[in-house]
Amino acid sequence: MSSPTPESDAGPGGGLRHGSGDGRRHGRRDGAARRSESGRGVSGRLPWVLVVPAVLGLVFLVLPLAGLLVRAPWSTLLERLAEPQVLEALRLSLVTATVATVLCLVLGVPLAWLLARVEFPGRRVVRALVTVPLVLPPVVGGVALLLVLGRRGLVGQWLEAGFGVTLPFTTAGVVVAEAFVAMPFLVISVEGALRAADRRFEEAAATLGASRWTVFRRVTLPMVMPGVVAGAVLCWARALGEFGATITFAGNFPGTTRTMPLAVYLALETEPEAAIVLSLVLLAVSVVILASLRDRWVSAP
């Protein structure tokens, strides 16, 4: 006798079900293949309505930089870089940008920790106020600093009367102006790193008896150090290129407040080639900064 056909293989008409199942599976595979080929076809076609504006946007951004490189006095570049006024502006810019970055680290890292770790009423308002210098015109920031820290300002008059400290039109005023416009870059970067950090390590350290300061110094800060470094570099680059708040609050005095952006503005009226040389230095610094932060800010995820 022949063995009975298993019920799972028998169809209602005596046929085998696995044949129809194979057909359905083959149909699904064929449909998936057709959809995949269709998707490849769509993605393979260039949408010119998007490509053309994209190319124009790229040209719009790159062409001025290319013009700067083309018109640069390459034959006399080293001689112009060695001029006393250029070296003086470069030295002052490097010193003030570095001091401003240190000031931003001292004040900005605790501020970022407060925004990321502490719940308090009005935190969103505080965060918005911290980011205001990002969108505020730098000249307006300089006017605001002058009204607060000037000799007759809300705080400046007390600084001069009590301590004999005058900030406007001094090198210290340059540092204050640069720190004002650059600190948001540091705060945003560090706050983002704090929010992305795993808080279980901090909780474990606190469970073992570590104080809040010890947890921050030994656990939190090492975890977010890449964000701190990235924010500090961006802060330094922003401070180096600050112009509006500096010229409004600190003025444009050689050797005291004339940083490289101010020197570019002045040289453009009297000696355009010197302005180009100074601009090339700032451009080179910007390229180096972006190259060093490409994994965090430039590369696609």
Side-chain angles (χ1 to χ4, degrees):
M1 293 179 60
S2 59
S3 59
T5 303
E7 183 178 354
S8 60
D9 292 341
L16 297 180
R17 289 184 180 178
H18 67 79
S20 60
D22 289 344
R24 285 193 297 270
R25 286 193 293 271
H26 285 304
R28 286 195 295 268
R29 286 197 294 268
D30 292 342
R34 285 193 297 270
R35 286 193 298 271
S36 177
E37 292 175 359
S38 175
R40 286 196 300 269
V42 171
S43 62
R45 293 194 297 268
L46 288 177
W48 292 107
V49 69
L50 298 178
V51 172
V52 172
V55 173
L56 291 177
L58 179 62
V59 171
F60 175 74
L61 295 175
V62 173
L63 191 59
L65 304 180
L68 188 64
L69 296 175
V70 170
R71 296 296 299 273
W74 296 106
S75 58
T76 60
L77 181 63
L78 295 179
E79 297 178 5
R80 292 187 176 276
L81 285 176
E83 293 179 357
Q85 62 270 23
V86 174
L87 294 177
E88 188 177 59
L90 178 60
R91 178 196 61 80
L92 183 63
S93 294
L94 295 176
V95 171
T96 55
T98 302
V99 176
T101 302
V102 172
L103 179 62
C104 291
L105 284 170
V106 173
L107 302 178
V109 172
L111 178 57
W113 177 86
L114 184 70
L115 293 174
R117 289 287 191 265
V118 180
E119 295 283 348
F120 59 91
R123 185 171 66 166
R124 292 184 178 179
V125 177
V126 173
R127 183 180 291 111
L129 292 175
V130 169
T131 57
V132 162
L134 290 176
V135 297
L136 190 71
V139 174
V140 177
V143 172
L145 289 173
L146 198 59
L147 294 176
V148 173
L149 299 176
R151 292 183 177 181
R152 297 182 180 179
L154 299 177
V155 179
Q157 59 181 341
W158 300 104
L159 289 176
E160 185 176 12
F163 304 96
V165 175
T166 302
L167 291 176
F169 310 108
T170 63
T171 303
V174 176
V175 173
V176 171
E178 291 177 348
F180 176 77
V181 299
M183 187 182 294
F185 290 90
L186 176 70
V187 174
I188 291 175
S189 179
V190 177
E191 184 188 359
L194 285 167
R195 291 185 178 276
D198 193 345
R199 300 188 64 173
R200 291 178 297 177
F201 297 103
E202 298 173 317
E203 294 171 356
T207 302
L208 295 175
S211 64
R212 295 294 294 269
W213 169 245
T214 302
V215 172
F216 175 78
R217 182 170 53 89
R218 301 293 297 274
V219 180
T220 306
L221 197 57
M223 281 196 304
V224 301
M225 187 55 66
V228 174
V229 172
V233 172
L234 288 173
C235 179
W236 184 83
R238 180 64 184 88
L240 187 69
E242 169 51 31
F243 174 81
T246 302
I247 197 172
T248 306
F249 181 64
N252 186 14
F253 300 103
T256 304
T257 64
R258 183 176 294 172
T259 57
M260 289 190 66
L262 274 65
V264 171
Y265 176 76
L266 183 65
L268 191 61
E269 298 179 350
T270 58
E271 196 175 359
E273 289 190 351
I276 295 175
V277 171
L278 291 170
S279 300
L280 284 176
V281 175
L282 293 174
L283 176 62
V285 171
S286 302
V287 171
V288 171
I289 295 300
L290 290 177
S292 63
L293 297 178
R294 63 187 183 277
D295 293 335
R296 179 172 293 271
W297 299 99
V298 179
S299 297

